[in-house]
């Protein structure tokens, strides 16, 4: 999670974390888990998907959350 400036990631501050989920977990379940970990349950977001990376843009907030799926 990082701040944005002009709608683009700014990286003035960054909050990093990791969650473990079984392989094959749906995007919806992944987004819900990450939002719970960040205390963002109930916050509406616009979602973008770029390959194995998801970007969440919370409505009305100047932040973006990147979710990168790592397959081991």
């Amino acid at each position: 999670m990082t701040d944005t400036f002009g709608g683009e990631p700014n990286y003035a501050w960054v909050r990093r974390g990791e969650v473990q989920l079984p392989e094959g977990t749906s995007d919806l379940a992944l987004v819900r888990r990450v939002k719970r970990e960040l205390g963002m349950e109930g916050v509406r977001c616009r979602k973008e998907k770029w390959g194995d990376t998801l970007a969440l843009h919370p409505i009305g907030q100047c932040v973006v959350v990147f979710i990168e799926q790592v397959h081991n």
Side-chain angles (χ1 to χ4, degrees), residues 14-42:
V14 176
R15 180 176 173 192
R16 288 185 168 87
E18 184 176 305
V19 294
Q20 302 266 336
L21 294 170
E23 192 168 328
T25 300
S26 69
D27 287 352
L28 179 60
L30 180 60
V31 167
R32 286 182 176 168
R33 175 68 183 275
V34 169
K35 286 174 70 174
R36 182 174 2 131
E37 294 291 324
L38 292 172
M40 294 176 54
E41 290 176 296

Side-chain angles (χ1 to χ4, degrees), residues 13-72:
W13 58 265
V14 176
R15 180 176 173 192
R16 288 185 168 87
E18 184 176 305
V19 294
Q20 302 266 336
L21 294 170
E23 192 168 328
T25 300
S26 69
D27 287 352
L28 179 60
L30 180 60
V31 167
R32 286 182 176 168
R33 175 68 183 275
V34 169
K35 286 174 70 174
R36 182 174 2 131
E37 294 291 324
L38 292 172
M40 294 176 54
E41 290 176 296
V43 176
R44 296 190 62 196
C45 297
R46 179 175 53 86
K47 180 181 83 170
E48 297 177 358
K49 185 167 182 162
W50 309 321
D52 283 343
T53 301
L54 298 174
L56 301 179
H57 301 271
I59 306 300
Q61 298 182 29
C62 295
V63 298
V64 61
V65 177
F66 294 110
I67 305 169
E68 182 179 336
Q69 298 180 43
V70 178
H71 305 284
N72 293 328

